[in-house]
């Protein structure tokens, strides 16, 4: 039995400890906001926070989540009120939307670590998140506009 | 047009209620799907005025979107058009995803035609429903219909403050005779409140909250998860596999040898072995134990490198003439100067961020499917065919599509889910991995193009020869097809719009060996690259600026009709009278990007602009790209694109499609390559099939031509000019002419 905190709620799973956290979250715990994109940490669609740090859940064994605090897209706000989510709406960022959970989780982590990132810093931090529709310019713009409002976001999500 | 009358006549209430009942078919099967079927949770409370419009007594307007949402914004665009003519309050509009149902007409969400083919029809649906509401109000007040008008979810009495809400009127409106098309009145574009406005996507709040449902996300009670090991070679079959080893993995429920179908490939599942388990991970683990041995068949001898060498060699010889004017060979012999070049592109794959996925339930001879499909009706037909049941017994729910680009027009994965659901008697979700997606796609064709131009002593083009060779999409459906088909030659080849004197356009044979399919802009990808590059090469030879060279070749304002030179041009299925090849519009978008970008101005050393312009899907797009090339490394600095797509419904989504097309085009130009060895695709995931990432993405500017012309395509036309603009820019920055894509074979990409 592996226990951890998922979006501030305690959960326990009886599952293969080698199962990637992604499949535990999606198939066993029923939260499908975290997406499967590649399975080898190449695309970032599965990004969640573990104790506040962004991780690729598709390669993180469930055993590594034991006693940790996991935050998924569903957990960063109750009502899409996180500044990153608001900026995403303001800039009409998504096209298909599939990669956006991972993009948002990476962007939240970026702003947690750097309140006013430069273009270069955004590029460097976000390069692990692929968007095939090509929303990168809007993601960058949204991150910049959220950066201005980010103090409001403190402690909203995960272990900020 | 007569078809529009039919649309309204088809709007049978009985038919619609039947459809609405099927929408909640999940309930019939004892299952619920909160985010797929909230739509008609209580369908009896929504009152249907026609196939696309129903209104609840509280005033909520339920509008059907019958096309698939894959990021292009159609779930916003179609309702925008209907709500405009309905005079609905946009805040009261609820979008309902249509099931597979031929009553809607074609639901094939491809070919950049959702707005193009539905704009007028959707206006009619909105106007017809509005007319019925107005008639109901007039009856209520005992006045003539001309004395009332609809506005913002109300019908109002002229010269009075009296008004009735749509919700109050709908029961009475339902009893009105639907108006005929001829009697409908439409808004003047100057009065539009929704069409032409950058309305925010209807799904955006669910997307940013992570609560949308894509094909990969479908969950049903007692559902099993399947992963399938498929033949690496098209036409291959299973020789043996280790069922026991796979079945012994914890969580694996069943191992099933998928039925093998002979070629042609069609939309049939490939031969393979499915591992069905209680979760995705267990299925993937079981699959690793299968140790499948394959019979590869004839296509096991296919090697893409040797195949492309062969195309490149034969393309320098005369082929089958498909369009001709004068004697190009004679005139070429008299040329003062000649320019010739051969261009190649590799196979490409779609790689949408969401790998294909489908979920099915089979019970009592009926199948219900949830899938991220661009073609719900084709999915329905193929499932029915594979299960040998009537298509009326197959219900297809369309989830959101996590990208598609043409891949999800091919419902092989939906058929897989249906077969496994029947086999297990339980709901089954087939989850494709990224490796499955890359290695079992329907690929963009590998190709070679060859161009020869003869210049006269004034450096003007007097002769033109162009050739193309690539395996046809039609091979996927009929293995006897061994050359490009007219539909493909209509995509940026036979419709070449230049005034070049004598010309000969030719194609060469190229048999198929892997499943060939359509990818965003299809054959325009390679034809646009070759033609756009060749213009630049002529400009260099003639000592002219590229912009001037393009304008000279496009020549005077005119409509080009390839039929006059013997080519039966498809024109994307649209009439040439309404959508001619208009050189004026080509020149206009080119002039816009050159002026806005400053592409004709000088640049820093090692930096340069490249331009290209292309008409496809009856829209016009020009691109200017600025690059730097330093020490064998290319950086894309800036891109500008201008699109003339006629009437635009949602300019923000058009802008988004242009941004996305630039980035999709850059992935193709810079990085995209699928290679095949011994019949099998060599790449497997994003580490070896690379796509553009944020640091490689330049600043992008988009210009939309304001136009009241009929709407053209938007999703695809941005892609074709990109690769040529990049290659041209690289030449002008470095002197290196890249004719064989991807560019990463020649330069490092940063």
């Amino acid at each position: 039995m592996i226990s951890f905190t998922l979006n501030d709620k305690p959960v326990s799973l009886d599952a293969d400890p080698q199962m990637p956290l992604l499949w535990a979250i999606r198939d066993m715990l029923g939260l499908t906001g975290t997406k499967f994109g590649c399975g080898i940490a190449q695309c970032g669609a599965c990004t969640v926070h573990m104790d506040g740090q962004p991780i690729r859940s598709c390669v993180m064994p469930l055993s590594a989540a034991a006693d940790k605090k996991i935050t998924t897209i569903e957990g960063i706000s109750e009502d899409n009120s996180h500044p990153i989510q608001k900026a995403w709406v303001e800039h009409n960022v998504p096209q298909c939307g599939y990669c956006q959970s991972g993009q948002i989780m990476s962007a939240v982590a970026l702003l947690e670590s750097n309140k006013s990132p430069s273009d270069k810093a955004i590029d460097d931090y976000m390069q692990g998140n692929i968007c095939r529709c090509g929303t990168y310019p809007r993601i960058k713009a949204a991150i910049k506009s959220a950066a201005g409002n980010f103090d409001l976001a403190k402690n909203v999500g995960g272990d900020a | 047009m007569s078809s529009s009358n039919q649309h309204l006549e088809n709007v049978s209430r009985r038919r619609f209620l039947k459809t609405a009942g099927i929408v909640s078919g999940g309930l019939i099967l004892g299952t619920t799907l909160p985010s797929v079927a909230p739509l008609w949770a209580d369908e009896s409370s929504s009152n249907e005025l026609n196939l696309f419009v129903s209104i609840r007594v509280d005033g909520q307007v339920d509008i059907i979107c019958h096309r698939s949402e894959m990021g292009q914004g159609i779930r916003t665009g179609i309702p925008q058009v209907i709500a405009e003519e309905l005079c609905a309050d946009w805040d009261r509009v609820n979008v309902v995803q249509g099931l597979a149902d031929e009553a809607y007409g074609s639901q094939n969400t491809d070919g950049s035609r959702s707005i193009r083919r539905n704009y007028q029809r959707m206006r009619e649906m909105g106007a017809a429903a509005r007319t019925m509401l107005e008639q109901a109000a007039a009856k209520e007040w005992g006045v003539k219909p001309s004395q009332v008008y609809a506005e913002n979810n109300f019908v109002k009495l002229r010269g009075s403050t009296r008004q009735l809400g749509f919700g109050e009127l709908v029961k009475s409106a339902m009893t009105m005779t639907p108006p005929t098309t001829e009697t409908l009145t439409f808004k003047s574009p100057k009065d539009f409140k929704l069409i032409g406005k950058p309305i925010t996507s209807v799904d955006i709040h669910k997307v940013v909250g992570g609560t949308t449902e894509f094909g990969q996300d479908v969950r049903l009670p007692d559902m099993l998860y399947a992963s399938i090991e498929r033949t690496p070679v098209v036409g291959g079959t299973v020789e043996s596999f280790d069922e026991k080893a796979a079945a012994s993995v914890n969580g694996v429920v069943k191992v099933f040898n998928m039925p093998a179908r002979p070629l042609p490939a069609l939309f049939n599942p490939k031969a393979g072995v499915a591992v069905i388990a209680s979760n995705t991970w267990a299925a993937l683990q079981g699959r690793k134990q299968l140790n499948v041995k394959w019979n590869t068949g004839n296509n096991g001898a296919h090697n893409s490198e040797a195949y492309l060498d062969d195309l490149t060699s034969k393309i320098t010889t005369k082929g089958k003439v498909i369009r001709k004017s004068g004697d190009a060979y004679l005139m070429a012999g008299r040329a003062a100067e000649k320019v010739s070049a051969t261009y190649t592109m590799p196979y490409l794959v779609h790689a949408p961020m969401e790998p294909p996925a489908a979920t099915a339930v089979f019970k009592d001879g009926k199948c219900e499917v949830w899938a991220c499909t661009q073609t719900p009706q084709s999915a329905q037909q193929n499932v029915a065919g594979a299960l040998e049941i009537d298509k009326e017994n197959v219900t297809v729910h369309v989830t959101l599509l996590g990208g598609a680009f043409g891949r999800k027009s091919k419902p092989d994965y939906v058929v897989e889910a249906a077969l496994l659901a029947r086999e297990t008697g339980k709901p089954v979700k087939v989850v494709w991995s990224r490796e499955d997606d890359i290695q079992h796609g329907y690929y963009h064709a590998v190709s070679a193009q060859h161009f020869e131009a003869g210049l006269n002593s004034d450096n003007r083009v007097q002769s033109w020869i162009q050739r193309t060779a690539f395996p046809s999409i039609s091979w996927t459906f009929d293995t006897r097809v061994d050359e490009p088909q007219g539909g493909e030659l209509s995509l940026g080849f036979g419709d070449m719009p230049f005034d070049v004197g004598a010309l000969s356009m030719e194609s060469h044979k190229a048999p198929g060996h892997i499943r060939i399919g359509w990818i965003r802009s299809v054959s325009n990808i390679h034809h646009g690259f070759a033609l756009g590059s060749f213009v630049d090469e002529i400009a260099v030879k003639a000592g002219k600026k590229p912009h001037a060279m393009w304008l000279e070749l496009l020549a005077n304002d005119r409509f080009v009709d390839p039929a006059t030179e013997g080519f039966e041009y498809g024109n994307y299925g649209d009439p040439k009278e309404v959508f001619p090849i208009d050189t004026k519009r080509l020149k206009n978008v080119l002039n816009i990007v050159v002026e806005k970008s400053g592409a004709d101005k000088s640049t820093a050393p090692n930096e340069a602009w490249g331009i290209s312009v292309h008409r496809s899907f009856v829209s016009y797009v020009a691109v200017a790209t600025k690059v730097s090339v330093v020490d064998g490394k290319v950086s894309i600095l800036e891109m500008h694109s201008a699109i003339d797509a006629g009437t635009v419904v949602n300019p923000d989504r058009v802008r988004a499609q242009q941004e996305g097309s630039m980035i999709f085009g850059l992935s193709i130009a810079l990085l995209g390559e699928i290679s095949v060895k011994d019949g099998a695709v060599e790449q497997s995931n994003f580490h070896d099939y690379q796509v553009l990432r944020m640091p490689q993405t330049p600043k992008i500017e988009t210009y939309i031509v304001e136009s009241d012309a009929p709407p053209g395509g938007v999703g695809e036309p941005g892609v074709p000019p990109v690769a040529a603009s990049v290659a041209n820019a690289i030449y002008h920055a470095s002197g290196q002419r890249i004719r064989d894509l991807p560019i990463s074979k020649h330069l490092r990409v940063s």
Side-chain angles (χ1 to χ4, degrees), chain B residues 8 13 55 86 131 146 194 243 292 355 561 594 654 692 713 727:
Chain B
L8 287 174
R13 185 164 303 128
I55 295 174
L86 179 60
T131 303
S146 60
L194 296 170
E243 179 172 355
V292 184
D561 185 357
V594 170
V654 173
L692 212 74

Side-chain angles (χ1 to χ4, degrees), chain B residues 310-332 342 450-452 464-469 483 493 503-509:
Chain B
D310 181 50
L311 292 188
T312 308
S313 161
K314 73 166 73 155
I315 202 73
T316 57
T317 64
K318 188 168 181 179
K320 173 173 151 188
V321 176
I322 64 120
R323 180 178 154 192
K324 185 175 188 295
S325 175
D327 189 335
Y329 288 88
L330 180 72
M331 293 304 287
T342 299
H450 181 78
F451 284 74
E452 294 180 11
W464 185 277
I465 296 162
Q466 66 177 50
R467 304 191 190 112
T468 189
E483 60 184 353
F493 187 78
L503 72 85
S504 181
M505 299 187 176
E506 303 156 16
S507 70
H508 271 284
K509 286 193 182 298

Side-chain angles (χ1 to χ4, degrees), chain B residues 92-111:
Chain B
R92 306 302 313 277
V93 168
N94 174 51
V95 181
V96 180
Q97 189 64 39
L99 296 169
D101 190 337
E102 62 194 11
Y104 295 128
S106 171
Q107 293 177 275
N108 293 353
T109 313
D110 51 23

Side-chain angles (χ1 to χ4, degrees), chain A residues 26-28 30 32, chain B residues 32-33 213 217-221 223 225:
Chain A
R26 286 178 56 83
D27 291 355
M28 308 192 78
T32 56
Chain B
T32 55
L33 270 179
E213 186 166 64
D217 299 337
V218 173
R219 293 170 60 80
L220 298 175
M223 182 176 81
Y225 298 76

Side-chain angles (χ1 to χ4, degrees), chain A:
Chain A
M1 191 70 81
I2 294 166
S3 301
F4 57 96
T5 304
L6 181 64
N7 298 332
D8 291 331
K9 293 193 186 83
V11 294
S12 293
L13 280 178
D14 182 12
D16 178 355
Q18 290 307 306
M19 177 189 292
L21 181 58
L22 169 71
W23 298 116
I25 291 171
R26 286 178 56 83
D27 291 355
M28 308 192 78
L29 298 167
L31 288 186
T32 56
T34 305
K35 303 303 185 191
F36 167 56
C38 70
I40 58 167
Q42 283 286 313
C43 80
C46 66
T47 305
V48 301
H49 296 178
M50 180 184 281
D51 288 347
Q53 294 302 310
I55 58 155
R56 310 301 186 208
S57 65
C58 73
V59 292
M60 183 66 68
L62 182 58
S63 57
D67 303 323
K68 305 282 191 190
K69 207 169 163 176
I70 304 296
T71 306
T72 68
I73 183 73
E74 293 93 341
I76 59 166
S77 75
E78 297 255 311
D79 51 1
N80 293 348
S81 60
H82 191 287
I84 283 283
Q85 290 171 308
K86 286 159 88 170
W88 246 243
V89 174
E90 180 197 333
H91 290 270
N92 223 352
V93 170
Q95 288 187 30
C96 82
Y98 192 79
C99 74
Q100 298 297 336
S101 300
Q103 303 279 1
I104 288 170
M105 295 310 285
S106 289
V108 169
L110 165 61
L111 292 192
E112 298 281 3
S113 64
N114 180 352
K115 266 199 257 182
S116 63
S118 64
D119 279 22
K120 172 83 167 52
I122 296 173
D123 279 348
D124 288 348
Y125 204 92
M126 300 298 292
Q127 68 176 330
N129 287 82
I130 295 175
C131 171
R132 193 73 168 125
C133 297
T135 62
Y136 301 128
R138 293 184 189 223
I139 289 173
K140 194 180 272 187
I143 289 173
K144 286 181 177 177
S145 76
N149 302 321
F150 202 63
D151 280 347
L152 301 171
K154 280 227 151 183
N155 302 318
V156 167
D159 198 15

